[in-house]
Structure formats: structure tokens, C-alpha cells
Amino acid sequence: MKGWIAAAALAVCAAPAAAGPPQVHALTGVRIVTAPGQVVESGTVVLRDGVIEAAGAAVEPPADARLWDREGLTVYAGLIEPYSVRALPEAGDGEPPQAGHPSALVRPETDVTAWAAKADSFRKLREAGFTTAVVAPAGGLFRGRGVLMNLGDGPAGDNLLRRDVAQYASFDSAAFQGGYPSSLMGAVALFRQALLDAAWYQTAQAAWSANPAQPRPAQSTALAALAGVAAGRQPLVIESGDLLGSLRIAGLANELSLDVWLVGNGEEYQTLEPIAAAGLPHLLPVAFPKEPKAPEPDDLQTGLSELRHWDEAPANPARLIGAGVRVALTAHGLPEPKQLHPNLARAIEAGLTAEQALAALTTVPAAMLGIADRAGTVEPGKMANLVVVDGELFTKDAKLREVWIDGRRFELKESKPPEVEPAGTWELVVEAGEGQRIPITLTLAGAAPSLTGSVSAQGQVIELASAEVSGAEVEVSFDGAGFGMPGTISFTLEIAGDTAEGSGMSPSGPFTLSGTRTATPEDAS
């Protein structure tokens, strides 16, 4: 094995077994919200090999557990994001793929799995308390299949829970890049025709299988991928841009006998009765409008309807749930996922209960996604996915301290305005125990807070997954597989001029590092 990570691994392996990170953890002295409306005021949660082993007031930490004193903090089940969207690489010019649909807007065979794991997006979701998320493809009419993942570090395979969760669609004309359809009417016609064709395709395939002597139908990966939706066996998640869009989608769902989940628009309270009567589950954003600016005396642009919507939009989740609509909340549409908490505080002030909010982010999406036996509550046998909070979860200044994903702890540090610009070349020395000192080179480019770069040692160069500046610190993570150590390597450096020191964690254990900046971007230019 080559590189500093390999050397660090050898050093750790040579040390006693107890030096490695434990797989058994006990969070003691915590207030435990085991499920919405169910609270243990003081107890212990035991995690073993990525699964909750025990949780309750009378639980004693096992002898082999690493103890985490969390007195005064509250443990919730990790939040579940039911709708995060990922843009996929642009396809090349030319004809549609063989056996695909003639329209480039109909790509239900698209599988987002290979692009789902994105370190920066996962980190931002974790900062909001999410530990599990659906990643769906963006762009087009029929967009493809989503994937359900835990939000830990590492490649997609390490976090994958379920592929082919649902099909995804949108009538958003902004996603249509010219050609047919060029109007909403055309998009609806293409939508309907694609599903009718998919139903016919399945009938034709079944008829040919029963009697192969007849001509074989042409193969279509697109129509085959839509088979479950056309038959009502697989959910179809559709974005609704406005109230008329919601009612239009409800009509299509009824006409074609589809299992539709609506991505809401925040205006449902305005026509609550027909929305509730349609009976469609909602993935409901909490992206409420900002407070309108006070108009100038000669400015009449701020109308009564805009003011009324700003005032009433926070009540939308409570009114939908009160009308019997199945609601799972989503951070979709927010500038940053962590804006979820102050927005939910507004919704709670407007009538939503904290129990309803928690259910809509845990037990409801877990049931909709078919993982209620593994997620959504703090119970033995569930995945060790937790969020630890100082105080209550849904407040304007919610203080999230850490999340646990598959039994691994992720500290949530409060992001601060950048105080340093660490771009340049850093020559660092890693100290990995047993006197090992391994030189590495860290190269950073760009401007704070988000940087790019690489880390290199002994001829091996690895691109960084993320490099974020908070205050006087830069937090770096990358995949160590290129150094012969599969898994995420992360470290934090405190910058003081052209010197830096910090600590980090590899799959084999902790390490420290320090060094100096030997070149700046100006030097290179």
C-alpha cells in the first residue's frame, strides 16, 4: 500500500486492538423522544454495529461500550428527507439512446444511483438533522428513478438502502429545452401518451410471451421502466407548481389510476377541500415566502394577495394535516436545508404541533418509503440513525449537536463567517501514533467558504470531496481508497497566517497534523 493513509493504517494496526474506533456506543443521561409524543425524560441509548440495541430509562451501558455523556441533551430519530433532487451530467448530442423513448424529455429508465452520493449535499442535509434521504433525478418530464440512501460518508454502495423507490416527473416548462412539447398542453398530452403506451407495451409483451409464434414487439427500456407506474404498482412523484397544477395532476391520477405523490407548492390551504378530496399524499416543502418589503408611497407592486399569502402560508402544513392529507415534510426549495427549523417554528406558531412536525419528518416518510421497520423511531432493532439536540428540535435557533448514521457519529459544528483564506499549497506532517510522521501536501483553490483541491503523498494524488471554511478553520474530507484505505478521511485545520495545525479521523483511527503554507495562488500565477 502506498501513501500516508497506508502508513497510518499500519501504525494503528500495530497498536493494541483497543486503539481502533469502537463499534459499541452508549449515549447516557439523555432525554429520548422515542417516537412523536413519546418521551423518556432521562435514559440511555445503546448502539451496536450500526443498530439500536437498547433505549430507555432503565438501560445500563454494556461493558464494551464507549460512553458518551449527553446529559441535558435530547435524542430524536434521524430525520428523513423524502425529496432531494440531483442534476445529472448532460447527455451528449445526437439521437436518443437505442430502445429509449423518442422524446428526450421521457427518460424513466434513468437511474440516479451512480450520482446520488455527493459529499457537500450530504453534509448540508446532516446539518439540518437528516440522516436518510431520497435522491431523485432532475430535468425533463419523466425524469427517472430515485434512490433511498443514508447520508454517511463514503461511496453510494455503503449508504444505499433501496433503489427504484419511485418514478419522478414534472410539468415545469423551464426544464424543457425547446422542441416538442413547447406548451403545458403538449406536456400533458405527452405524459398521458407515454403511460398509455407503457400499459400497451406490457400487454403486448405478455401476449408475445404466451404465443412466441407471433411477431415480437419492439423493445423499449423507457416503456418497460414505466410499467409499474402505468399499472399503479409504483409511486409517481410529481412536482406541482401551483394550485391548478395540483388539481390537474389529481385529475390525471384518477383518470389513469396512478399512485401519485404530490410535491406541494405551499398554496394548498387556498383550495383545501378539493385538494383533500383527491386523497394524494403530499411531500410538502416548508419554503415559506419572505416578508414583503413595505411599499413606497408611489409603489403599488406589493398586492393584498401577496401579503395574505405571506401571512397564511406557515399555516399550510397544519391545515393540510388537519384535513386528513398524508404529509411528509421536505426541505426542498429552501436555500439551505437547515432553514427547515426556523421555518417549522413559524409553522408551529401557526397551528402545527411539534408531534405532527416530527411525525412528518420521521414516521410518515418511513412508512411511505417502506422502511418503517428500520427507521423513524428510537427503538431496538432500528438503524442507529439519531439526531442529538440541545433543547427542542423545531425552534428558530435550534442547536443540533451531532447526528449518528449507521452508528457513526458526525459532529455538527456551527458554521461561522470565514475569517481566513486558506488557498495555496500546504506542506503538512501527519502524526499517526507509534512515532509515525508522514509528510503530505494539501492543495487548496478558490475562495472561502467553499474550496476545491487535492491531497497527495508519495506520488498518489486524491481529489478532495469537500473543503469548507468556518471561522479560522478549514474542514477537509476525501475518499481514502486511492491510498489503499477505503472509507472517508477527514480532518480540520486551524489556520493562523501561514501555519496550521489540527486533527482528523481515518477508518483506522484518529491522527493529528500540522505544517505551513509554502505557496499562495499569487505565487503560482
Side-chain angles (χ1 to χ4, degrees):
M1 293 188 293
K2 297 180 179 180
W4 70 274
I5 297 299
L10 290 175
V12 173
C13 289
Q23 300 300 314
V24 186
H25 305 270
L27 283 65
T28 62
V30 291
R31 178 174 176 262
I32 310 168
V33 181
T34 57
Q38 301 178 23
V39 180
V40 174
E41 289 301 333
S42 181
T44 297
V45 181
V46 177
L47 315 178
R48 184 181 295 274
D49 295 329
V51 176
I52 298 174
E53 181 175 80
V59 172
E60 291 293 332
D64 58 345
R66 178 176 178 179
L67 301 182
W68 301 83
D69 182 2
R70 293 295 181 261
E71 186 174 357
L73 303 183
T74 300
V75 171
Y76 296 84
L79 307 186
I80 301 171
E81 170 56 79
Y83 188 67
S84 63
V85 177
R86 180 84 73 250
L88 305 185
E90 292 290 336
D93 296 332
E95 295 298 320
Q98 188 176 7
H101 195 277
S103 172
L105 298 177
V106 180
R107 288 290 172 264
E109 70 275 23
T110 300
D111 188 338
V112 77
T113 305
W115 298 277
K118 190 175 180 182
D120 185 55
S121 296
F122 279 18
R123 176 184 57 80
K124 290 181 178 180
L125 286 169
R126 290 196 298 263
E127 288 175 350
F130 291 107
T131 59
T132 305
V134 172
V135 181
L141 179 61
F142 282 103
R143 299 176 166 185
R145 299 173 286 194
V147 62
L148 180 65
M149 305 188 71
N150 275 345
L151 299 174
D153 287 335
D158 291 350
N159 292 291
L160 183 63
L161 297 176
R162 182 183 168 196
R163 297 179 66 176
D164 209 7
V165 172
Q167 279 283 345
Y168 293 82
S170 174
F171 291 114
D172 180 10
S173 60
F176 304 165
Q177 303 297 319
Y180 176 82
S182 58
S183 67
L184 177 60
M185 182 181 294
V188 171
L190 179 58
F191 176 90
R192 182 185 284 109
Q193 189 62 56
L195 289 171
L196 293 174
D197 288 347
W200 169 87
Y201 179 80
Q202 294 305 305
T203 301
Q205 292 292 326
W208 178 75
S209 296
N211 181 16
Q214 61 181 311
R216 183 179 70 252
Q219 298 294 309
S220 171
T221 55
L223 297 182
L226 281 176
V229 170
R233 298 191 306 267
Q234 184 180 38
L236 176 63
V237 180
I238 311 180
E239 286 191 22
S240 169
D242 52 34
L243 286 175
L244 289 178
S246 295
L247 297 176
R248 183 183 302 112
I249 292 166
L252 287 168
N254 182 62
E255 172 194 343
L256 300 171
S257 300
L258 306 177
D259 180 12
V260 166
W261 300 355
L262 264 176
V263 180
N265 51 67
E267 301 175 354
E268 289 80 8
Y269 67 92
Q270 298 179 20
T271 54
L272 192 56
E273 186 174 343
I275 293 293
L280 301 181
H282 277 58
L283 309 183
L284 190 65
V286 290
F288 304 138
K290 295 181 180 179
E291 182 177 0
K293 294 181 180 179
E296 298 295 331
D298 59 345
D299 181 9
L300 301 179
Q301 295 300 311
T302 303
L304 179 60
S305 61
E306 182 181 351
L307 290 169
R308 182 177 293 161
H309 181 53
W310 164 75
D311 182 55
E312 296 192 28
N316 191 53
R319 294 184 186 179
L320 269 181
I321 293 173
V325 178
R326 193 180 196 188
V327 170
L329 296 174
T330 171
H332 176 69
L334 294 173
E336 294 289 340
K338 60 185 177 184
Q339 183 65 33
L340 174 84
H341 299 281
N343 279 20
L344 278 177
R346 290 178 62 190
I348 289 171
E349 290 176 357
L352 187 70
T353 69
E355 290 76 16
Q356 288 173 330
L358 182 60
L361 286 161
T362 54
T363 54
V364 173
M368 293 177 67
L369 296 167
I371 56 170
D373 60 333
R374 290 178 284 167
T377 58
V378 185
E379 296 179 279
K382 300 290 182 77
M383 292 185 294
N385 289 2
L386 308 171
V387 56
V388 181
V389 182
D390 184 356
E392 298 296 329
L393 186 55
F394 305 123
T395 61
K396 292 181 180 179
D397 56 351
K399 298 177 182 178
L400 281 67
R401 297 307 188 198
E402 61 195 30
V403 295
W404 293 75
I405 301 174
D406 287 324
R408 181 181 176 187
R409 177 177 175 268
F410 293 83
E411 184 179 3
L412 302 180
K413 296 181 179 179
E414 183 179 359
S415 181
K416 302 177 182 178
E419 300 172 5
V420 294
E421 288 289 351
T425 302
W426 295 82
E427 299 298 338
L428 306 171
V429 175
V430 174
E431 298 188 22
E434 297 242 337
Q436 291 287 331
R437 293 173 57 83
I438 306 105
I440 68 168
T441 300
L442 173 67
T443 303
L444 298 173
S450 296
L451 307 177
T452 59
S454 63
V455 61
S456 59
Q458 298 182 4
Q460 300 285 80
V461 180
I462 301 296
E463 295 297 318
L464 301 181
S466 66
E468 298 289 329
V469 179
S470 175
E473 295 181 337
V474 57
E475 301 172 8
V476 172
S477 69
F478 58 94
D479 186 354
F483 288 137
M485 183 58 61
T488 297
I489 314 299
S490 61
F491 58 83
T492 299
L493 288 172
E494 184 171 357
I495 309 297
D498 288 330
T499 64
E501 61 180 16
S503 61
M505 178 68 73
S506 79
S508 296
F511 57 87
T512 60
L513 68 171
S514 61
T516 60
R517 175 160 43 186
T518 58
T520 66
E522 289 75 14
D523 296 334
S525 63

